[in-house]
Amino acid sequence: MNDDSPDDQADEVEQADDAEHIAVIGMAARFPGAEDVDQFWRNLTEGLDTVTRSAARPVPGGGAERSYVPARGLLKDPEWFDAGYFGYSPREARIVDPQHRVLLECADQALEHAGYDPTRYSGAIGVYGGGTDTSYAHLARSGPDRGAGASDMEILLGNATDYLVTRIAYKLGLRGPAVTVQAACATSLVAVHTAVQALLSGDCDMALAGGVAVHVPARNSPYVEGGILSADGVCRTFDAAAGGTVGGDGGGLVVLKRLAEAVSDGDRIHAVLRGTAVNNDGSDRIGFTAPSVEGQAAVIRDAQAVARVDPATVTYVEAHGTATPLGDPIEVAALTKAFRDGTDLSGYCRIGSVKTNIGHTDAAAGAAGLIKTVLALEHGVIPPSLHFSEPNPRIDFAATPFRVADRAQEWLTRGTPRRAGVNSFGIGGTNAHVVLEEAPAPPPTAPPAPWQLLVLSARTATALDAAAENLAAHLDARPELSIADVAWTLQTGRREHDHRRYAVVGGARDAVRTLSGTAGRPAGTGGPPRPRSVTFVFPGTGAAREATRLYAEQRAFRRAFDACHAAVRAFDGVGGADGFGAQGFRPGSTSDDPATADLVAFAEEYALSRTLAAWGVRPASVLGTGVGVLTAAAVAGVFSLDDATRLVAARARLSAPSGGDTPDGTDAAARFEELVREAGPRAPSVPVVCGTSARVLSPDDAVDPGFWSAHLRGESRPHTAFDPLLKDASAVLVELGAGRTLTSAARRHPGHTADHLLVTALPGEEPTGEEPTGEERGTVSEGPPPLLAALGELWLAGVTISWSEVHGARRLRVPLPTYPFERQRHVVEAVGREAVEREAPERETTAVSAATEDDAQPGPEQQDTVGRVARLFAEILGLPDVDAEDSFFSLGGDSLIAVQFLSRAREIFGVEVDVLGLYEAETVTEFAALVDRSAGGHDSPRPALS
């Protein structure tokens, strides 16, 4: 023991390497009164008690003295769920326990909060968590879905906690370990400890950890004298009037990553897990459900030892804090015993419990306390612990390091980082403790480009609108956010759905105006994307005035243009190197000399193509007119860059109106043919369409010097040149030059349809007399860079973009609004249940009463085969109607549901079809045809699968 100050003691503590620490990089919370992390934090700092209270009610048959606890922490609409987003049919969604569904949504939100799309993350993501026992499986067994074929296995898979986290791994595509953790009230913090160990051992590269406890219908808990529940429904942790806790529902997850990698990857670090520990009280206690001072003190000491921190530097503890007469004094005694091993200081550490705000959320309690503490570290504020007025007489706080945090206060320290401990103890003796530290300062980043491309996507058009509104509101409230970091997070940290929108913006305020439609320019919208081939078309006009900005802001453009300039300066062929010196060869420059003008145009268009290629947009074919033919040839690899620049200069000189002869009398075409032969052309790597010959070059054409000499005198014919390209109904043409000469010609071509996408990359110098169409966005000459708008159009069409190259510098992930779920009510109702009534909004519902049967349906014999199969699809999947081309599996069916479907099909149609048959005939039309063939004896039944 010593009397040193916390900062003196901290100097003596050995600091662990970042490799031994774990970063919290994302969170999701759904607790009473809070739909997300931000709302949870607001409630905490405002000191809100969000427990739902009701009039006292007696327990049926319990006598006059026995009543229910008149309060519970309830979630808003826990039975509402976005089944379509996760690929569930309404029938299957009803069968799945709402607590599984809540945690699944939390998992998706937590990864988005961290800024990660699991489908594009190369590492292994693990998931560790647990839930609680509920009565929902009993409802599912007694409901009409059971009559429609819901098997015991389906109900088991949809309700047992064994499958809670494997469901998350399956639906989100996570490839790391998926481990259910069950430790009663300590479940979610034990899950965090388990995830930390997995990260440190290399089992996974990122991990979700937490827990959930949701009861549908709402659970009613009888008050028992001497039990853990409060008679009046108020949780008064550490208070003299404490009489127990209050039950509550909730779910929470954190996203964890090794600290060094989180820093390197530019993750938003909310806090650092320095150390965790888990143990059990063993038999050294008065009973199985009783806590132990020794066991709790040991786990706290162990976590602090792992964290390598002096307890004198831990200035807040989030207690388990159940407000029971026995539990609170034991917890404070255990904390004091552990802290006294390192300090004699008193009263320097604040202590509180989130249970005073939301109740005891069972398996989610540790996650609630952890997320509260992470937020407190991040914001530098200790929220108040509620309902405390006078200390429990069994706790001598003056003799401890602790004081109850009975008011919100700034979190100040004496020269050390903010540090905290979190307790979570389970009935049965499992104890968990976590030591946290405030996040390190984010590393500096390079200055961002002034304009950024924001991308949004959603599963439906209405969800896309909601996403845009939510983002606008978020940015409006946080104008200090780096719009480059916002763009990076949206581009790389969200799933890419079919309905898409983009906006090119110049800052947070501009983003708000653009997303809300008040900026005077629309955000591009499109969808759904599909596989498309991209053709680069080169008009030979260069990039005009936009080239200067591209050269200054885009690294790939600058490198490619400089490479062209170096090639020009290196050769001394026609015109000589001095003819193309630094004075005339600049991006955006003009020249009266035809060769210099053509070389600049070539360099600008070539640099544009290299910029798009660096951004991930690579052409499936190229087309050129004028000098653009040689640009196309260089991009396709027919000529090296050095040779292409020589040929561009020669073409300009030899095409000058001088009778077709060079100064020495040699025929221009022959001279050009000789230069091509010296260049040694190669077969193209992608098809080349020549604007003069109006056909796709064959390999023989490409290597034939005579073909290229004919090009010298050929006249561009863009109208016919588009013939081979527009045969592809999904073709994308990107004009890489100033103006929209070629895309306008393509739009007028008789083969053009609305399915073709024509993208103009840059504005022209001269007006064309035509208004740009929706498919020809990207031609604004001032303000937002048109090349970014063109990139947005390509992203709308489904082209994969290399976003790191678009930014060209390291960017940071930032928390943004998560996906706007479009929930519907999916529930098996309990008739006559004793439940806390909650008003649900009037939205579409798939609720089914467990006391009713499905309405009688018309006999299948009254319909043709397609109609009968469609009705059977709808019956089994719980859908109101099904289209003839809908797929059984796309609608939410799986192999287990398929067994039920085929059993019903056997009853209705009298045919034997196995699961493989359904996989091969998965649409209504295909399965109806299979039924007709089987019934007619044309197909032999498949053997049943074993």
Side-chain angles (χ1 to χ4, degrees), residues 85 454-468 494-502 524-530 792 795-798 819-820 822:
Y85 178 84
L454 306 185
V455 296
L456 294 169
S457 71
R459 182 176 167 271
T460 67
T462 51
L464 181 60
D465 288 340
R494 296 293 185 269
R495 291 179 184 270
E496 296 182 309
H497 300 284
D498 283 355
H499 292 267
R500 301 186 175 194
R501 185 172 300 170
Y502 75 86
T525 302
R530 53 182 172 165
W795 178 79
L796 288 185
Y819 188 87
E822 297 183 301

Side-chain angles (χ1 to χ4, degrees), residues 264-535:
S264 175
D265 294 342
D267 296 331
R268 171 65 173 270
I269 301 172
H270 302 275
V272 176
L273 289 173
R274 289 188 61 102
T276 68
V278 169
N279 72 2
N280 192 273
D281 292 329
S283 59
D284 186 20
R285 46 193 161 133
I286 61 175
F288 177 70
T289 63
S292 161
V293 171
E294 292 300 327
Q296 292 181 12
V299 81
I300 295 164
R301 280 194 298 261
D302 288 347
Q304 291 178 347
V306 171
R308 300 182 189 178
V309 299
D310 188 317
T313 66
V314 177
T315 49
Y316 176 72
V317 169
E318 173 64 21
H320 189 62
T322 55
T324 59
L326 179 65
D328 283 359
I330 286 180
E331 182 171 10
V332 174
L335 282 163
T336 302
K337 188 178 183 67
F339 273 59
R340 285 293 180 237
D341 284 353
T343 181
D344 284 334
L345 296 173
S346 296
Y348 71 90
C349 182
R350 293 295 180 263
I351 190 170
S353 174
V354 74
K355 292 179 179 64
T356 62
N357 301 88
I358 62 173
H360 189 338
T361 53
D362 195 0
L370 178 68
I371 292 171
K372 169 190 170 181
T373 308
V374 168
L375 291 168
L377 285 164
E378 184 172 30
H379 292 278
V381 173
I382 297 175
S385 191
L386 307 184
H387 312 303
F388 178 83
S389 57
E390 182 181 350
N392 186 319
R394 297 185 181 183
I395 304 174
D396 182 9
F397 277 111
T400 76
F402 310 105
R403 292 291 180 271
V404 176
D406 56 354
R407 58 184 175 82
Q409 59 192 95
E410 185 180 0
W411 193 339
L412 301 175
T413 65
R414 298 175 61 183
T416 62
R418 292 189 288 269
R419 288 177 181 153
V422 180
N423 275 341
S424 190
F425 307 137
I427 289 178
T430 296
N431 306 308
H433 187 78
V434 169
V435 177
L436 292 159
E437 183 175 281
E438 66 176 301
T445 57
W451 292 88
Q452 297 293 328
L453 176 61
L454 306 185
V455 296
L456 294 169
S457 71
R459 182 176 167 271
T460 67
T462 51
L464 181 60
D465 288 340
E469 292 171 6
N470 293 346
L471 180 61
H474 185 84
L475 296 178
D476 191 41
R478 299 164 180 82
E480 75 283 357
L481 280 179
S482 163
I483 200 64
D485 292 342
V486 171
W488 171 250
T489 304
L490 293 172
Q491 291 158 357
T492 63
R494 296 293 185 269
R495 291 179 184 270
E496 296 182 309
H497 300 284
D498 283 355
H499 292 267
R500 301 186 175 194
R501 185 172 300 170
Y502 75 86
V504 181
V505 301
R509 292 299 189 198
D510 185 47
V512 172
R513 292 192 297 269
T514 304
L515 293 169
S516 59
T518 62
R521 60 180 185 275
T525 302
R530 53 182 172 165
R532 289 177 179 263
S533 60
V534 176
T535 298

